[in-house]
Amino acid sequence: MIRSRPVEIDGRFVGVAVTQDGSLRFIAVDPAARGAEGTVFPSLAAMQRRVRAALLESNLPPVRRAG
């Protein structure tokens, strides 16, 4: 069974973590987090560190919601 959980960095929803063979794969929903997309991580903490770095590297502002 595939399981996923939301990934937030500093209160910003940036993607989901999908369990894959005991590891976690990151799927980005925020364009600023695409630098970490598809990467497989051994832990949620490692994923959060890499995604945070991708956000800083991108210099893109948070995605704004319609409405």
Side-chain angles (χ1 to χ4, degrees):
M1 176 179 211
I2 296 174
R3 294 191 177 168
S4 65
R5 68 168 76 183
V7 176
E8 288 187 20
I9 303 296
D10 300 327
R12 178 177 174 178
F13 174 62
V14 294
V16 294
V18 179
T19 303
Q20 178 181 351
D21 299 325
S23 298
L24 297 168
R25 178 178 294 276
F26 178 69
I27 307 298
V29 297
D30 186 323
R34 297 249 189 250
E37 185 167 43
T39 306
V40 177
F41 299 92
S43 68
L44 187 57
M47 176 183 290
Q48 290 170 323
R49 284 191 299 273
R50 177 61 190 111
V51 173
R52 181 174 275 112
L55 292 174
L56 293 172
E57 292 165 3
S58 76
N59 291 320
L60 291 175
V63 172
R64 298 171 65 95
R65 297 180 193 264

